[in-house]
């Protein structure tokens, strides 16, 4: 394949060209001065070496105020937060928990760890969020909880999920690990459930490397969590030092959230203008139906900006190779999750799960740190996309040869 020679910047980096972002994707976390000051304060006061200092109560208060949640339990990860939430819902061996067939793997494992069975329902075809209209059919006399999880910039229909949980008096657990700062109807995502969880893991929107929190306004659930956590030694604590680095991040979260929304809006409009049909926004069934409920105050969260990748529109360029190629341009795209029914057999389901299968094959997500950069950085994403799009066939041939 010898075409006319093109300047280096025209070539995909994977084929020896110059990457669009020569410095690679932005690193995470951001090295902000407020975080340094908070760490220094922790050092000076000695809180870094204490069980009980000033940082944990400060972070708890910030989260209580942010979420208007009466009870906040800090813990060692989002996954341990889910375990505590499940225990708070009194999920026990033999029980069932309804969840989407496409979700964070550890959520599924947490349920089986407690001896309960995940009952998988399918996704909506348009936005690849849990199809909550399938929940009711999945309820049995063993159902102890419903787990909803907002993924890849989408929002589960929280109004309908809430209504179903209320009608059947089943505990609704809301995983908001991917959408800190997001809200619907001015109510933060995480608090539409009876109990919500967030994560402070190293890639998340607010990070302490590890960490998580359980949020609830339900005193019974809070009491069960407290009893579990305080048997003997404290189970899954967060440290003062972790709280110290999180405090400034929660103080600036609203502003950061606004910045991310702006970037995503720009990105979507650029992609629409350029008619990049092979990369469509996860559109937006749940979100439209929420908007149609008379409010337009839907504000999604973007840990990943999710897209449906259509391999046919990209001249057969596989999703994995697309991700590899765009990453070598300095733009952090990854494939989504593996559908849960492909990873384990320890579940029950009522039907085939065709939309979860599609999500498994098609989703790609743009990692969030670039969303806090300038409009120019968002424009660069498009430049990279177009470059890969133009060279899709050549990339595919290159891969075939290099195997
Ligand atoms: C990150 C994440 C969690 C929890 O992750 P930890 O790494 O255990 O903090 C849970 N659910 C979803 C959807 C996540 O993305």
């Amino acid at each position: 394949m010898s075409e006319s020679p093109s300047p280096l910047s025209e070539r995909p980096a994977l084929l020896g060209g110059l990457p669009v972002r020569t410095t690679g994707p932005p690193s995470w976390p951001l090295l902000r001065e407020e975080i340094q000051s908070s760490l220094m304060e922790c050092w000076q006061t000695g809180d870094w070496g204490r069980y009980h200092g000033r940082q944990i109560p400060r972070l708890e208060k910030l989260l209580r105020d942010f979420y208007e949640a009466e009870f906040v339990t800090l813990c060692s990860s989002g996954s341990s937060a889910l375990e505590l939430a499940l225990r708070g819902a009194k999920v026990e061996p033999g029980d069932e928990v309804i969840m989407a067939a496409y979700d964070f793997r550890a959520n599924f494992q947490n349920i089986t760890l407690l001896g309960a069975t995940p009952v998988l329902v399918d996704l909506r075809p348009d936005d690849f969020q849990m199809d909550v209209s399938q929940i009711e059919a999945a309820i049995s006399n063993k159902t102890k909880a419903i787990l909803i999880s907002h993924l890849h910039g989408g929002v589960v229909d929280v109004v309908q999920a809430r209504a179903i949980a209320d009608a059947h008096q089943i505990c609704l657990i809301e995983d908001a690990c991917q959408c800190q700062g997001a809200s619907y109807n001015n109510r933060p995502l995480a608090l539409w459930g009876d109990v919500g969880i967030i994560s402070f893991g190293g890639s998340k929107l607010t990070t302490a490397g590890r960490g998580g929190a359980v949020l609830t306004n339900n005193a019974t659930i809070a009491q069960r969590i407290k009893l579990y956590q305080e048997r003997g030694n404290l189970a899954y604590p967060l440290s003062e030092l972790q709280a110290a680095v999180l405090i400034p991040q929660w103080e600036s979260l609203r502003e950061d959230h606004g910045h991310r929304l702006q970037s995503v809006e720009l990105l979507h409009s650029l992609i629409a203008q350029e008619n990049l049909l092979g990369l469509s926004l996860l559109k937006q069934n749940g979100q439209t139906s929420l908007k149609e409920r008379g409010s337009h105050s839907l504000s999604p969260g973007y840990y990943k900006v999710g897209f449906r990748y259509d391999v046919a529109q990209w001249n057969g360029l596989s999703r994995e190779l697309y991700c590899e190629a765009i990453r070598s341009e300095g733009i952090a795209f990854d494939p989504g999750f593996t559908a849960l029914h492909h990873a384990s057999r320890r579940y029950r389901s009522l039907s085939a799960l065709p939309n979860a299968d599609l999500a498994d094959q098609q989703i790609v997500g743009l990692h969030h740190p670039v969303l806090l950069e300038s409009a120019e950085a968002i424009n660069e994403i498009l430049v990279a996309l177009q470059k890969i799009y133009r060279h899709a066939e050549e990339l595919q041939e290159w891969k075939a040869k290099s195997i």
Side-chain angles (χ1 to χ4, degrees):
M1 287 255 321
S2 59
E3 289 161 26
S4 60
S6 51
L8 268 186
S9 62
E10 288 285 305
R11 304 272 308 151
L14 209 52
L15 302 179
L18 206 63
V20 172
R21 287 179 62 111
T22 48
T23 54
S27 67
W28 191 255
L30 300 179
L31 304 181
R32 286 178 163 165
E33 269 175 25
E34 306 85 81
I35 295 176
Q36 189 186 23
S37 319
S38 190
L39 275 170
M40 281 307 287
E41 188 196 318
C42 212
W43 180 73
Q44 279 157 353
T45 58
D47 278 349
W48 58 271
R50 297 207 169 98
Y51 290 116
H52 302 289
R54 270 150 289 199
Q55 312 302 324
I56 295 271
R58 269 187 206 160
L59 179 61
E60 284 173 342
K61 178 163 177 12
L62 268 170
L63 292 176
R64 271 201 306 274
D65 293 349
F66 191 95
Y67 283 100
E68 295 181 30
E70 201 175 334
F71 307 100
V72 169
T73 308
L74 298 174
C75 59
S76 60
S77 69
S79 300
S80 55
L82 182 63
E83 185 195 335
L84 292 172
L86 291 165
R87 292 189 186 279
K90 219 166 184 296
V91 172
E92 289 173 341
D95 290 338
E96 293 182 345
V97 178
I98 297 169
M99 70 184 297
Y102 178 94
D103 195 355
F104 190 61
R105 179 86 198 278
N107 288 359
F108 180 97
Q109 289 165 321
N110 248 316
I111 294 167
T112 56
L113 187 79
L114 295 190
T117 303
V119 178
L120 304 182
V121 304
D122 208 5
L123 307 183
R124 309 169 73 123
D126 318 41
D127 65 355
F128 282 153
Q129 304 299 308
M130 184 185 199
D131 183 353
V132 293
S133 73
Q134 296 188 16
I135 290 174
E136 239 160 357
I139 293 175
S140 76
N141 58 8
K142 296 180 186 162
T143 309
K144 203 50 111 22
I146 299 162
L147 170 63
I148 58 174
S149 187
H150 311 287
L151 297 176
H152 311 322
V155 181
V156 177
D157 189 332
V158 284
V159 177
Q160 204 187 346
R162 183 71 265 165
I164 293 167
D166 285 342
H168 296 268
Q169 302 211 337
I170 296 171
C171 181
L172 184 65
I173 302 177
E174 186 175 6
D175 179 340
C177 290
Q178 298 204 350
C179 56
Q180 293 161 18
S183 61
Y184 171 63
N185 247 350
N186 298 319
R187 184 163 159 196
L189 299 182
L191 257 278
W192 286 83
D194 298 290
V195 51
I197 63 160
I198 54 178
S199 163
F200 309 131
S203 61
K204 294 294 152 79
L205 297 173
T206 63
T207 170
R210 304 276 173 183
V214 195
L215 312 156
T216 184
N217 281 314
N218 182 312
T220 311
I221 291 174
Q223 181 61 14
R224 284 198 203 109
I225 291 173
K226 191 166 166 4
L227 281 176
Y228 180 79
Q229 240 207 340
E230 292 180 357
R231 73 219 155 125
N233 290 333
L234 193 63
Y236 317 138
L238 192 83
S239 73
E240 285 285 316
L241 206 46
Q242 287 172 299
V245 296
L246 286 163
I247 287 165
Q249 297 178 66
W250 279 88
E251 285 170 342
S252 65
L253 182 60
R254 273 178 226 283
E255 206 178 309
D256 292 339
H257 178 70
H259 190 159
R260 289 190 190 103
L261 287 182
Q262 251 179 4
S263 297
V264 172
E265 220 162 274
L266 175 60
L267 179 61
H268 287 163
S269 73
L270 291 172
I271 287 177
Q273 271 169 40
E274 293 304 318
N275 226 357
L276 275 180
L277 295 172
L279 199 66
S280 51
L281 175 64
L282 296 183
K283 256 241 198 273
Q284 286 257 326
N285 200 345
Q287 304 194 15
T288 359
S289 81
L290 280 170
K291 283 190 177 182
E292 279 161 7
R293 290 179 205 280
S295 165
H296 293 266
S297 60
L298 176 68
S299 184
Y302 290 102
Y303 166 66
K304 302 274 179 190
V305 188
F307 296 90
R308 179 195 298 264
Y309 179 81
D310 181 350
V311 66
Q313 300 263 7
W314 286 73
N315 276 324
L317 180 69
S318 75
R319 179 181 62 161
E320 282 59 34
L321 187 51
Y322 159 84
C323 287
E324 192 183 339
I326 194 97
R327 273 203 306 270
S328 32
E329 301 298 330
I331 314 289
F333 267 95
D334 293 292
F337 299 141
T338 300
L340 296 168
H341 58 294
H342 296 180
S344 167
R345 286 203 227 152
R346 299 180 61 185
Y347 67 91
R348 180 170 83 77
S349 71
L350 296 184
S351 59
L353 301 158
N355 296 326
D357 288 334
L358 281 178
D360 175 294
Q361 292 158 21
Q362 295 185 334
I363 289 180
V364 294
L366 170 67
H367 197 42
H368 65 85
V370 70
L371 303 177
L372 289 183
E373 297 200 332
S374 63
E376 175 163 8
I378 304 302
N379 275 296
E380 284 172 346
I381 297 174
L382 210 73
V383 172
L385 286 171
Q386 287 166 321
K387 196 207 267 193
I388 303 306
Y389 198 75
R390 281 196 302 272
H391 293 83
E393 231 176 304
E394 200 183 334
L395 279 160
Q396 195 69 14
E397 285 165 12
W398 167 82
K399 190 69 175 184
K401 270 186 230 149
S402 68
I403 289 171

